[in-house]
Amino acid sequence: MRRRGIVIALSAALLAGIGVVGYTTVLPAWQCRRGSELVEADRLGLDLRQSQGLNTTGAVTDVVAALEDNGPFGGLSSGTVVAPWNAASVIAVDDGVLLASGSGSTGNSFAGAVLSLDPASGSVRWARGYDGYAPGGGQVGEDIVTLVLPEDRTAAVSALDARTGRWSACTWVGTNTEHGFAPTLATARIPETSEILLAQDVDDDPDLSLTRMTPGTGDVAWTVPMTGLPSADDLTVLGGAAVLSRFNERDIDYTVGLNLANQGTDTRTVAAFSTADGSPLWRYPAEEDPSSPVISTVLGASDTGRGTLVLTTMTTPDLDSVTADTVRWDLVGVDPRTGEPRWTIEIPYGARASLTGDTLLYSSGPGDLHGLDVTTGAELWTLAHEADEWFQTNRAVTLGTQILVPTNAEDLWLVDAATGTGTRTEMPDGVYSFTITDTSIVVGVETYTDGDALLLFDRADPVA
């Protein structure tokens, strides 16, 4: 079974704690069972309906019919309705397994779950229920790695065997608590390895620490302090650099002035550390002028060519009064090894940007979309239309040479990545995510009557 390694991004925006005293303890697999259980799918309280034809009626069927008639979607190959499971999301996909996680269902003792689904039929291979929260995750080697937040117990980075759902190992982070909160935590996979980096709160130290570990065995290579970095929402690995940002890209939207100005004097720089030994490499900006503070965050990373880290920066003379007239809003392409900027593009204040494949997208207003070359910052194309709707660049995904870009009016644009030529398709209500594989488009759907669904459609242009 061919494996697809993906970066894990467990945001501290979701996991923010309150005064955590932390440590890292590696546990044998048998001790990881606390707070979760391998169960039959019906014990999760899910209303599971799956088949190649998705034999069900109601809102999900209407969504299927609408998607099959439009855009890049071929016929439905399989689907699973997981009502009343909320926010089902794909965390790993390969030739023989589809894994999804979500928040809890009603009428059972589990508050979260991870499911392994057969893409050909939508049937459940195994299911693991949690009495706490198990957000997101990704595949590292032969394991699915996720963060587990058991009720009233220690948070853990856990590794599950992707074939069986059984524990491989786990690493506890933080101390036992009666309050159910978690430490600041961000993780990312080190490419071409079965290891991850973990940024976390440790003991009474005001700064974070960085740990390199193998989640499948629990082995810790090293842990080092990150001086001057008290918190981080995002960890990105590129070119031998582990780059930490105080703000996650979710903070970078049209409310950015309010979101960031309220952060006070907290760290506003992006800091990079060596993936080899945790030693500091660089900061951006290298020296900040307190009279004109710069708030920086990592937007994304591309390993094309020498690799480029894309930052969003906001420069303002006064964090207490952030307006379109006082802010300079930039996209910056940075060398991940040195932190030196390769290019800088000023964009309108509050523009919505994302890195999708090797194309940098930003939308500066309704009906307006720009595509930039990530290696040079050069504008490749502009797409404009008359409708009064925003392109939701944060939901865009690549589909071969095309980019799928939803709008806030439930339309979907299929845009040529090289030319910006686009075609528009009406989308049914409730579609909230797309995951692209070699042969399928996995669509996440939320309905109020049928619950959530994960639907696998054949690609109109399968990869040869």
Side-chain angles (χ1 to χ4, degrees):
M1 185 161 56
R2 185 167 69 248
R3 298 289 177 186
R4 299 175 189 272
I6 66 175
V7 170
I8 308 165
L10 304 179
S11 170
L14 297 176
L15 310 175
I18 49 174
V20 174
V21 176
Y23 61 87
T24 301
T25 301
V26 179
L27 299 177
W30 65 269
Q31 289 193 34
C32 298
R33 298 182 187 130
R34 291 173 53 185
S36 77
E37 188 177 348
L38 204 58
V39 297
E40 294 296 325
D42 57 7
R43 281 197 55 203
L44 297 175
L46 306 180
D47 177 14
L48 290 170
R49 291 162 288 180
Q50 65 264 326
S51 72
Q52 287 188 328
L54 197 67
N55 234 346
T56 184
T57 59
V60 171
T61 299
D62 294 340
V63 171
V64 171
L67 292 178
E68 286 185 321
D69 291 340
N70 290 289
F73 304 97
L76 181 76
S77 59
S78 70
T80 298
V81 180
V82 286
W85 212 25
N86 296 319
S89 60
V90 176
I91 60 175
V93 180
D94 64 23
D95 291 339
V97 64
L98 166 69
L99 289 109
S101 69
S103 59
S105 308
T106 58
N108 68 88
S109 61
F110 302 108
V114 175
L115 292 178
S116 174
L117 307 175
D118 179 356
S121 65
S123 60
V124 178
R125 290 178 164 179
W126 55 260
R128 179 170 287 278
Y130 295 90
D131 68 4
Y133 184 44
Q139 192 155 343
V140 179
E142 298 296 310
D143 295 294
I144 299 301
V145 180
T146 188
L147 174 68
V148 180
L149 307 179
E151 293 290 346
D152 300 333
R153 281 191 288 275
T154 305
V157 175
S158 69
L160 305 177
D161 187 306
R163 299 163 298 176
T164 65
R166 298 188 181 280
W167 290 102
S168 298
C170 66
T171 303
W172 281 1
V173 182
T175 56
N176 289 328
T177 175
E178 297 179 358
H179 305 290
F181 58 81
T184 296
L185 180 67
T187 66
R189 183 190 171 192
I190 302 174
E192 310 302 326
T193 75
S194 294
E195 296 176 279
I196 65 170
L197 291 173
L198 171 77
Q200 60 173 318
D201 292 309
V202 173
D203 299 324
D204 293 322
D205 194 322
D207 297 328
L208 298 179
S209 71
L210 187 66
T211 297
R212 178 167 176 155
M213 63 172 294
T214 304
T217 63
D219 293 337
V220 173
W222 44 256
T223 297
V224 297
M226 294 183 288
T227 304
L229 196 69
S231 58
D233 278 6
D234 181 79
L235 173 59
T236 301
V237 174
L238 181 66
V243 185
L244 285 112
S245 170
R246 168 63 183 86
F247 303 105
N248 187 276
E249 66 175 289
R250 278 187 295 273
D251 298 317
I252 308 301
D253 59 18
Y254 63 93
T255 61
V256 67
L258 177 64
N259 288 341
L260 300 189
N262 288 342
Q263 302 298 329
T265 58
D266 206 349
T267 304
R268 298 186 292 270
T269 61
V270 169
F273 300 81
S274 169
T275 60
D277 57 14
S279 59
L281 295 178
W282 50 265
R283 296 199 173 209
Y284 186 92
E287 295 183 3
E288 185 178 343
D289 179 359
S291 65
S292 185
V294 178
I295 295 177
S296 303
T297 194
V298 176
L299 186 67
S302 170
D303 59 6
T304 299
R306 296 176 296 161
T308 302
L309 194 72
V310 179
L311 308 183
T312 302
T313 67
M314 182 183 81
T315 307
T316 175
D318 184 4
L319 280 175
D320 294 325
S321 177
V322 178
T323 69
D325 295 329
T326 63
V327 168
R328 179 183 170 96
W329 192 245
D330 290 316
L331 298 175
V332 183
V334 170
D335 186 323
R337 295 163 183 80
T338 66
E340 292 294 323
R342 291 173 174 160
W343 51 261
T344 300
I345 304 294
E346 184 176 5
I347 60 177
Y349 165 72
R352 304 175 183 185
S354 72
L355 181 58
T356 307
D358 290 326
T359 304
L360 185 58
L361 302 175
Y362 79 87
S363 179
S364 59
D368 173 73
L369 183 68
H370 302 263
L372 309 179
D373 186 316
V374 70
T375 60
T376 65
E379 183 162 291
L380 300 173
W381 46 261
T382 298
L383 173 65
H385 65 87
E386 296 179 355
D388 186 23
E389 58 193 56
W390 278 82
F391 286 100
Q392 295 186 320
T393 59
N394 63 315
R395 295 173 59 200
V397 294
T398 56
L399 179 66
T401 60
Q402 309 287 311
I403 304 174
L404 299 182
V405 191
T407 74
N408 63 350
E410 300 300 335
D411 287 337
L412 181 68
W413 283 77
L414 187 64
V415 180
D416 186 283
T419 66
T421 304
T423 56
R424 179 181 178 186
T425 298
E426 289 188 10
M427 291 286 291
D429 291 341
V431 173
Y432 62 81
S433 68
F434 303 96
T435 304
I436 306 299
T437 77
D438 284 351
T439 58
S440 302
I441 304 174
V442 186
V443 181
V445 177
E446 180 181 35
T447 74
Y448 293 104
T449 55
D450 279 359
D452 276 16
L454 292 173
L455 307 175
L456 276 75
F457 292 88
D458 295 327
R459 280 179 57 167
D461 64 336
V463 175

